[in-house]
Amino acid sequence: MSGRIRRKQDGKFMGFDALVLTTVGRKSGLPRTNPVGWFRAPDGGWLIVASAAGSAGNPAWYYNIAAHPDQVQIEIKGQKTAVVADQLHGPEREAAWQQITAAVPRFAGYQQKTDRELPIIHLAPAPSK
């Protein structure tokens, strides 16, 4: 999805906290925006899940992040922040997954619908330039 996204003042999407994720298209090089649910990371960053509601493939924004992890921006309640994205693996991913499924159990259902392991992306504020 690209173009304008309607931003709700309460910062909710499908019943949980949401942010507007802006990535750079891996093929087009153009900005792409998507609403994405988020969870607070233990270090104060943000966790997002490339669930695509349990579909067989990852959402397009996941591939954009993989191609340009240092060209990501989030917007939460009107506040824009440049971030660096990092996919979690191993024990870090498992701890984040437990946190996410405890907060929003529907993510466990998304995992059951697909053969792929749902990627969890950690977003941290980008270093100042």
Side-chain angles (χ1 to χ4, degrees), residues 11-12 16-19 36-49 74-77 79 81-83 88 92-93 95-104 107 120-125:
K12 298 287 185 184
F16 51 94
D17 291 331
L19 56 78
V36 179
W38 68 275
F39 304 86
R40 181 62 66 191
D43 67 357
W46 305 267
L47 300 172
I48 59 175
V49 182
I74 61 171
E75 181 181 340
I76 300 174
K77 295 185 179 180
Q79 174 106 15
T81 305
V83 296
L88 300 181
E92 282 185 306
R93 186 205 177 275
W97 182 248
Q98 294 303 319
Q99 174 191 339
I100 290 164
T101 56
V104 182
F107 278 97
I120 300 175
I121 309 299
H122 177 267
L123 304 172

Side-chain angles (χ1 to χ4, degrees), residues 34-120:
N34 298 88
V36 179
W38 68 275
F39 304 86
R40 181 62 66 191
D43 67 357
W46 305 267
L47 300 172
I48 59 175
V49 182
S51 69
S55 67
N58 291 315
W61 61 257
Y62 170 80
Y63 299 105
N64 294 344
I65 284 176
H68 305 286
D70 58 344
Q71 296 180 40
V72 181
Q73 178 179 278
I74 61 171
E75 181 181 340
I76 300 174
K77 295 185 179 180
Q79 174 106 15
K80 294 181 181 181
T81 305
V83 296
V84 175
D86 184 38
Q87 185 169 340
L88 300 181
H89 298 281
E92 282 185 306
R93 186 205 177 275
E94 184 57 31
W97 182 248
Q98 294 303 319
Q99 174 191 339
I100 290 164
T101 56
V104 182
R106 86 174 73 151
F107 278 97
Y110 295 160
Q111 182 61 73
Q112 292 173 349
K113 288 174 57 177
T114 185
D115 291 335
R116 67 186 173 89
E117 181 177 75
L118 300 181
I120 300 175

Side-chain angles (χ1 to χ4, degrees), residues 5-22:
I5 294 203
R6 186 174 174 174
R7 288 157 171 83
K8 294 179 69 177
Q9 293 301 321
D10 64 0
K12 298 287 185 184
F13 178 72
M14 295 181 65
F16 51 94
D17 291 331
L19 56 78
V20 176
L21 178 71
T22 301

Side-chain angles (χ1 to χ4, degrees), residues 1-7 20-26 28-35 60-61 64:
M1 173 187 253
S2 64
R4 291 180 58 123
I5 294 203
R6 186 174 174 174
R7 288 157 171 83
V20 176
L21 178 71
T22 301
T23 60
V24 173
R26 67 186 166 137
S28 70
L30 299 174
R32 302 291 183 205
T33 57
N34 298 88
W61 61 257
N64 294 344

